[in-house]
């Protein structure tokens, strides 16, 4: 049996308010924070149709070696007050053969974890409703091939991960070009630097599983299978886009791929995801659809985790044991507000145990670690063991949006994370472990460049939506408002906008 422990790196937790925050306040300008909210009820109604000093050592199987001395503040992954001395089993089924547990240290800015092996006589009488568990990426599967004892992926899996991450990066870089050329309008938020999160989670899903995203949604859609053509066309506002040009950058949707939308307001997608997870449970337990084991992933950022919808949905998901994984893409900044300045306890994953669900922190710049956490959390949900809160600490390489000059973040901080580029790290790992050659990866790079170039050409040549599409998907029955007495859309009348041009 094992228990997961977590800590804050580099300073004791009790010094956070007395030493760290005042320093930040004196050095970082304070922007105007934006707080959004959305009615949770309407979304659900819609869907229901003391510190320890440890030696610094590199990870056994991680591609990211340690380069910084680390002092860890250990805390259990569950509520410190209620479960501080309680060990948790790694799986709900019995483990006859204990796993080999590495001690992992990381140069990551946030937290790091250690798995501690417990004796078989440890007390497991937990006062919890479900006896659910925490699993982390540092667990080496016992049934791995003897020829590759420290590898978490096969060659095929590695190439798939690499291709998806390169696609996301190349696509977003092209979006920046097209935006500055005037091909895209409104706000465009790019995903550069965070690819390990999207790839690590979404590539483990089934077709029927659902993804709910944020305004930074292009790469989530690509990872789920929406074509580069459809996403680029949507960004261009063309009829060939995944929403026929009516969604744009922040509202990617695909019924075919179960991408339930990007959402412009922070937090508003979480109730939708909770409703989707409720639908899966209802189909299985009430409608007796035995094969319905569908899982929902809800992606959102650190800035959302102080909003009401987040807490309400964590409560409901834990109460009803819904098949959902709440994925926090903590890129440390909410527009221009530092996460450390905006949150009383910056360890977001600790909010999970407060509602009776596992909370896990993972290095979001390491796709292999993310993938291992994703395997367990998605597996828990699919087995009916309830939700998991996963905090992926990552970093965006560009500003909040393409309209953001990105002047508030320290250049040294940006350089630190740029040196930990998740794509470069995965490439190094694949080559050093003989999972791929330089030629293999260059071929993928070339393929992706061609895919993205073709997507731009396709989007540019696609037609714009007709005026008759203006009121579609706005009113369930537009007769009397959008349709004239002759049965035609009023917007087709040349005089429809007469008198509004000056306005």
């Amino acid at each position: 049996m094992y228990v997961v422990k977590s800590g804050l790196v580099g300073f004791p937790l009790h010094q956070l308010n007395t030493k760290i925050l005042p320093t930040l306040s004196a050095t970082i300008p304070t922007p105007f924070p934006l707080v959004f909210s959305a009615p949770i009820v309407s979304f659900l109604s819609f869907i229901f149709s003391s510190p320890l000093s440890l030696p610094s050592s590199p990870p056994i199987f991680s591609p990211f070696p340690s380069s910084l001395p680390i002092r860890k503040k250990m805390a259990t992954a569950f509520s410190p007050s209620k479960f501080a001395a309680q060990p948790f089993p790694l799986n709900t089924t019995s483990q006859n053969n204990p796993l080999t547990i590495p001690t992992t240290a990381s140069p990551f800015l946030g937290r790091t974890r250690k798995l501690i092996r417990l004796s078989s006589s440890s007390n497991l009488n937990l006062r919890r409703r479900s006896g659910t568990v925490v699993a982390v990426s540092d667990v080496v599967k016992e049934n791995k091939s003897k020829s590759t004892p420290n590898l978490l992926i096969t060659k095929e899996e590695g190439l798939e991960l690499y291709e998806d991450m390169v696609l996301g990066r190349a696509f977003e870089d092209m979006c920046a070009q097209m935006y500055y050329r005037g091909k895209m309008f409104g706000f465009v938020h790019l995903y550069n630097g965070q690819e390990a999160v999207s790839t690590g989670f979404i590539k483990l899903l089934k077709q029927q599983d659902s993804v709910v995203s944020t305004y930074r949604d292009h790469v989530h859609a690509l990872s789920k299978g929406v074509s580069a053509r459809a996403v680029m066309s949507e960004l261009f506002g063309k009829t060939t886009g995944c929403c026929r040009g009516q969604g744009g950058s922040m509202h990617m949707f695909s019924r075919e791929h179960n991408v339930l939308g990007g959402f412009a307001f922070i937090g508003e997608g979480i109730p939708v995801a909770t409703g989707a997870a409720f639908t899966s449970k209802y189909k299985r337990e009430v409608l007796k659809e035995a094969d319905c084991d569908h899982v929902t992933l809800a992606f959102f950022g650190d800035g959302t985790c102080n909003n009401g919808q987040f807490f309400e949905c964590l409560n409901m998901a834990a109460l009803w044991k819904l098949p959902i994984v709440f994925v926090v893409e903590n890129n440390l900044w909410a527009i221009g507000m530092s996460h450390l300045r905006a949150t009383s306890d910056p360890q977001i994953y600790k909010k999970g145990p407060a509602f009776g669900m596992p909370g896990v922190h993972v290095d979001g710049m390491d796709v292999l670690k993310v993938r291992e956490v994703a395997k367990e959390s998605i597996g828990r949900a699919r087995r009916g063991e309830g939700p998991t809160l996963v905090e992926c600490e990552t970093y965006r390489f560009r500003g909040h949006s393409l309209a953001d000059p990105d002047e508030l973040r320290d250049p040294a901080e940006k350089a630190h994370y740029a040196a930990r580029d998740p794509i470069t790290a995965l490439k190094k790992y694949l080559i050093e472990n003989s999972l791929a050659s330089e030629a293999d990866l260059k071929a993928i790079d070339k393929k992706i460049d061609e895919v993205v170039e073709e997507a731009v050409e396709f989007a540019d040549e696609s037609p714009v939506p007709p005026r008759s599409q203006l009121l579609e998907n706005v009113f369930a029955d537009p007769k009397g408002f959008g349709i004239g007495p002759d049965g035609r859309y009023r917007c087709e009348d040349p005089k429809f906008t007469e008198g509004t041009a000056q306005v």
Side-chain angles (χ1 to χ4, degrees):
M1 263 66 80
Y2 307 92
V3 60
V4 181
K5 295 203 171 185
S6 306
L8 203 62
V9 174
F11 55 87
L13 191 59
H14 68 273
Q15 294 181 7
L16 180 63
N17 291 323
T18 59
K19 292 187 178 182
I20 303 303
L21 296 185
T23 301
L24 288 173
S25 300
T27 57
I28 301 178
T30 303
F32 293 98
L34 298 178
V35 179
F36 303 102
S37 64
I40 182 171
V41 175
S42 61
F43 282 119
L44 289 176
S45 299
F46 171 77
I47 289 297
F48 285 173
S49 96
S50 54
L52 299 179
S53 296
L54 299 177
S56 177
S57 59
I60 290 181
F61 54 80
S62 171
F64 309 105
S66 174
S67 60
L68 299 177
I70 293 177
R71 191 156 69 97
K72 304 179 181 178
K73 171 77 175 181
M74 307 300 286
T76 61
F78 285 82
S79 173
S81 60
K82 187 173 182 180
F83 302 117
Q86 297 284 8
F88 287 82
L90 188 63
N91 289 302
T92 54
T93 57
S94 62
Q95 295 285 330
N96 295 324
N97 299 317
L99 306 180
T100 302
I101 305 299
T103 299
T104 305
S106 167
F108 202 54
L109 186 64
R111 277 79 63 198
T112 185
R113 299 178 316 286
K114 179 183 178 182
L115 288 178
I116 300 179
R117 180 171 179 172
L118 304 177
S119 67
S120 59
S121 60
S122 297
N123 179 22
L124 295 178
N125 295 322
L126 309 179
R127 293 188 296 168
R128 288 179 49 81
R129 186 170 58 253
S130 61
T132 51
V133 297
V134 175
V136 294
S137 58
D138 301 328
V139 179
V140 179
K141 301 300 182 181
E142 188 181 23
N143 59 356
K144 287 292 178 181
S145 170
K146 293 182 179 180
S147 60
T148 57
N150 294 324
L151 299 184
L152 294 173
I153 52 175
T154 64
K155 177 178 181 178
E156 292 73 20
E157 291 169 337
L159 294 178
E160 179 188 29
L161 298 177
Y162 182 80
E163 181 171 332
D164 190 65
M165 295 173 70
V166 170
L167 173 60
R169 179 70 59 84
F171 188 93
E172 299 291 70
D173 286 342
M174 182 60 75
C175 285
Q177 293 186 43
M178 295 299 105
Y179 178 85
Y180 293 126
R181 292 183 188 181
K183 296 292 185 179
M184 300 175 187
F185 305 94
F187 289 99
V188 177
H189 308 81
L190 302 186
Y191 200 73
N192 300 54
Q194 301 181 199
E195 296 88 355
V197 181
S198 179
T199 298
F201 269 93
I202 297 179
K203 301 313 287 185
L204 291 171
L205 297 180
K206 299 179 181 179
Q207 176 76 16
Q208 300 84 358
D209 296 331
S210 300
V211 168
V212 176
S213 187
T214 67
Y215 47 75
R216 206 179 303 276
D217 57 351
H218 315 157
V219 177
H220 292 156
L222 293 171
S223 293
K224 194 60 169 67
V226 183
S227 70
R229 274 185 166 195
V231 178
M232 189 66 76
S233 294
E234 189 61 36
L235 286 159
F236 276 47
K238 300 299 183 71
T239 57
T240 52
C242 57
C243 296
R244 300 191 302 160
Q246 291 182 276
S249 172
M250 296 187 282
H251 301 285
M252 296 295 164
F253 176 90
S254 174
R255 181 177 182 179
E256 174 188 358
H257 298 91
N258 287 296
V259 177
L260 304 185
F263 293 86
F265 292 96
I266 65 171
E268 68 175 338
I270 304 178
V272 174
T274 305
F278 178 88
T279 300
S280 300
K281 185 180 181 70
Y282 189 88
K283 286 181 178 180
R284 184 178 182 88
E285 297 187 4
V286 178
L287 302 183
K288 304 302 180 183
E289 297 181 14
D291 60 340
C292 184
D293 61 352
H294 308 159
V295 173
T296 301
L297 297 183
F299 290 93
F300 49 93
D302 51 283
T304 299
C305 296
N306 294 321
N307 281 20
Q309 301 99 313
F310 170 68
F311 297 101
E312 292 181 49
C313 291
L314 257 62
N315 179 64
M316 279 188 282
L319 182 65
W320 297 333
K321 295 186 66 176
L322 299 183
I324 184 172
V325 182
F326 297 97
V327 185
V328 187
E329 297 185 289
N330 182 3
N331 58 27
L332 309 181
W333 291 84
I335 307 181
M337 173 60 72
S338 168
H339 174 58
L340 294 177
R341 297 185 64 205
T343 304
S344 59
D345 187 345
Q347 301 177 85
I348 299 173
Y349 73 97
K350 290 166 60 177
K351 293 177 170 67
F355 291 93
M357 71 176 70
V360 183
H361 175 275
V362 66
D363 182 346
M365 304 295 278
D366 183 337
V367 69
L368 302 182
K369 290 183 178 181
V370 172
R371 192 168 185 269
E372 286 299 296
V373 171
K375 279 184 182 179
E376 183 63 22
S377 58
I378 293 173
R380 290 189 66 252
R382 210 178 296 284
R383 294 189 300 265
E385 297 172 16
T388 306
L389 175 64
V390 180
E391 177 188 359
C392 302
E393 195 164 343
T394 182
Y395 202 77
R396 53 174 163 82
F397 291 165
R398 293 180 178 266
H400 174 70
S401 75
L402 287 174
D404 176 15
D406 195 19
E407 297 173 343
L408 295 176
R409 299 189 297 176
D410 190 338
E413 177 184 288
K414 291 189 281 189
H416 169 74
Y417 281 99
R420 301 191 64 240
D421 189 316
I423 298 178
T424 302
L426 178 61
K427 179 178 180 179
K428 178 181 178 182
Y429 180 83
L430 294 174
I431 293 175
E432 289 182 351
N433 289 278
S434 302
L435 293 173
S437 64
E438 284 277 6
D440 294 332
L441 303 183
K442 286 182 179 179
I444 292 177
D445 294 342
K446 181 180 179 181
K447 172 186 173 182
I448 295 303
D449 286 342
E450 293 172 354
V451 167
V452 174
E453 290 283 354
E454 196 275 335
V456 170
E457 294 175 5
F458 177 81
D460 198 36
E461 296 169 359
S462 297
V464 297
R467 295 183 68 190
S468 61
Q469 189 179 316
L470 182 62
L471 297 179
E472 292 183 24
N473 303 317
V474 178
F475 298 98
D477 183 6
K479 290 184 179 181
F481 181 89
I483 296 180
D486 57 356
R488 299 179 61 189
Y489 280 101
R490 293 183 188 274
C491 60
E492 292 178 339
D493 186 341
K495 296 183 178 182
F496 180 72
T497 57
E498 191 174 90
T500 64
Q502 293 78 14
V503 177

